[in-house]
């Protein structure tokens, strides 16, 4: 049986008295590309933070590689997983290389001094992410797409088995969106890395995800392959809009087209079978 990277059992989370995550149950397999979607405010970021131990669930359990997450030290978690948050403050004067080297912290000795080996791993991460030519530039001088790839490089420098990313393609132009998604697919295929990503883009999720988790108001709506989750009925009720679902001309995945009001007609209804 495939090992689970994450096993989430009955997880609930509250801000004050307000339930944000409601009794979530799901697993992520080792080596899987797993994408979490859902309307704004449905709890996706909170879920991601709970999965990496930044927030603690009020009830339920999370196992990370078959051991309870609560039993891991912070350093032990950082050796297993890296988290790329949506917004990282960049008003500090570090260079790209210094930023990426920070990813080595769980692997450094008590003195916290980097060795040649750490520098080697940092350079590999920079090269993999396609930002090696920026190594000496300062972070606040970079474009959004360059910066996002630097933060991915920093996460990879941690040498994680599991990478969690919160909307890494938000605010990027089309070619940078594809570049990030292709990088993730490469990590999965070449290194067997498990990728858990929150995405607002259901067409990218359809093309890249092995499985998709759709949540709304903190509750699980649907979990399965893109064809199982991205159905007309499920999407219409989750997002409250009209859309068309058909087969992508590019491959065996669904394609979702939003239907503007001016194109609505009596027969406007999606859900074409694969
Ligand atoms: P999503 O990522 O799906 O947009 P979030 O996880 O960011 O959703 O937020 C889920 C809900 O929790 C939202 O209603 C949001 O307003 C609320 N929320 C997020 N952060 C806080 C906070 N620090 N304090 C109180 N409520 C919060």
């Amino acid at each position: 049986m495939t090992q689970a990277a994450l096993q989430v059992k009955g997880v609930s989370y509250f801000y004050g008295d307000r339930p944000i995550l409601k009794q979530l149950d799901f697993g992520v397999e080792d080596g899987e590309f797993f994408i979490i979607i859902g309307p704004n405010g449905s709890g996706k970021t909170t879920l991601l933070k709970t999965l990496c131990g930044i927030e603690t669930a009020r009830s339920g359990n999370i196992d990370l590689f078959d051991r309870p997450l609560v039993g891991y030290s912070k350093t032990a978690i950082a050796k297993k997983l890296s988290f790329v948050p949506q917004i990282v403050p960049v008003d500090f004067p570090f260079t790209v290389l210094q930023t990426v080297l920070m990813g080595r912290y769980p692997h450094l000795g008590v003195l916290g001094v980097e060795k040649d080996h750490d520098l080697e791993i940092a350079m590999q991460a920079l090269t993999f992410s396609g930002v090696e030519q920026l190594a000496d530039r300062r972070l606040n001088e970079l474009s959004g797409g360059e910066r996002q790839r630097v933060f991915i490089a920093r996460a990879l420098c941690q040498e994680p088995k599991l990478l969690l990313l919160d909307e890494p393609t938000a605010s990027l132009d089309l070619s940078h969106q594809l570049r990030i998604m292709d990088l993730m697919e490469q990590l999965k295929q070449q290194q067997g890395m498990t990728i858990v990503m929150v995405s607002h883009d259901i067409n990218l999720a359809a093309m890249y995800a092995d499985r998709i988790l759709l949540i709304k108001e903190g509750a699980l709506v649907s979990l399965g392959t893109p064809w199982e989750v991205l159905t007309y009925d499920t999407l219409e009720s989750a997002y409250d809009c009209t859309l068309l679902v058909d087969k992508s001309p590019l491959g065996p995945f669904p394609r979702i087209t939003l239907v503007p009001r001016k194109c609505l007609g009596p027969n406007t209804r999606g859900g074409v079978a694969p």
Side-chain angles (χ1 to χ4, degrees):
M1 207 178 105
T2 325
Q3 191 194 25
L6 287 163
Q7 198 67 55
V8 176
K9 293 172 268 185
V11 162
S12 296
Y13 184 91
F14 289 72
Y15 278 120
D17 290 338
R18 209 170 131 226
I20 304 296
L21 301 177
K22 301 171 187 164
Q23 289 285 330
L24 291 177
D25 281 295
F26 63 92
V28 177
E29 283 171 22
D30 196 10
E32 190 172 24
F33 196 159
F34 189 90
I35 299 191
I36 302 168
I37 62 169
N40 290 342
S42 49
K44 302 182 296 298
T45 295
T46 308
L47 173 58
L48 220 47
K49 287 181 178 169
T50 311
L51 295 180
C52 60
I54 296 174
E55 305 285 358
T56 307
R58 181 172 301 180
S59 59
N61 302 301
I62 297 171
D63 286 350
L64 174 65
F65 294 105
D66 297 334
R67 277 178 47 205
L69 183 62
V70 289
Y72 280 82
S73 68
K74 282 210 159 35
T75 308
I77 291 179
K79 283 182 179 169
K80 293 278 187 203
L81 67 83
S82 331
F83 173 50
V84 181
Q86 197 176 346
I87 299 163
V88 185
V90 288
D91 50 355
F92 42 82
F94 296 117
T95 65
V96 166
L97 180 57
Q98 285 167 333
T99 306
V100 172
L101 267 171
M102 287 173 199
R104 293 304 296 159
Y105 75 93
H107 301 280
L108 302 181
V110 277
L111 297 178
V113 181
E114 294 121 8
K115 303 204 172 86
D116 287 350
H117 173 69
D118 298 301
L119 193 59
E120 216 173 282
I121 305 251
M123 290 314 294
Q124 280 169 10
L126 282 168
T127 305
F128 181 83
S129 308
V131 283
E132 71 276 22
Q133 75 287 1
L134 303 176
D136 298 324
R137 294 267 297 277
R138 296 202 179 278
L139 218 49
N140 52 2
E141 298 165 1
L142 305 183
S143 73
E146 290 168 337
R147 222 178 269 160
Q148 192 59 273
R149 280 181 285 142
V150 171
F151 289 121
I152 288 171
R154 182 175 70 174
L156 296 181
C157 203
Q158 256 174 261
E159 297 187 295
K161 292 179 69 171
L162 166 63
L163 186 59
L164 299 117
L165 307 106
D166 193 357
E167 300 209 7
T169 60
S171 78
L172 298 187
D173 66 32
L174 296 179
S175 78
H176 286 102
Q177 289 181 29
L178 279 178
R179 192 160 179 175
I180 300 275
M181 297 304 284
D182 285 342
L183 278 181
M184 294 305 116
E185 190 156 86
Q186 231 176 309
L187 285 170
K188 175 194 128 130
Q189 284 179 352
Q190 293 175 0
Q191 301 182 27
M193 201 177 285
T194 309
I195 313 286
V196 176
M197 176 188 290
V198 165
S199 176
H200 62 287
D201 190 320
I202 47 183
N203 275 307
L204 287 181
M207 289 191 287
Y208 287 91
D210 292 314
R211 283 189 307 150
I212 294 174
L213 168 68
L214 169 59
I215 61 172
K216 184 176 184 181
E217 294 170 4
L220 189 153
V221 174
S222 183
L223 171 63
T225 64
W227 278 115
E228 287 165 344
V229 174
L230 304 177
T231 66
Y232 173 77
D233 289 326
T234 305
L235 291 174
E236 188 196 43
S237 70
Y239 289 92
D240 194 22
C241 63
T242 305
L243 29 82
L244 296 172
V245 182
D246 61 1
K247 185 182 165 300
S248 166
L250 298 176
F253 13 80
R255 171 179 63 177
I256 291 86
T257 308
L258 298 179
V259 181
R261 184 187 291 267
K262 66 182 176 187
C263 300
L264 284 175
N267 299 318
T268 311
R269 201 173 183 284
V272 177

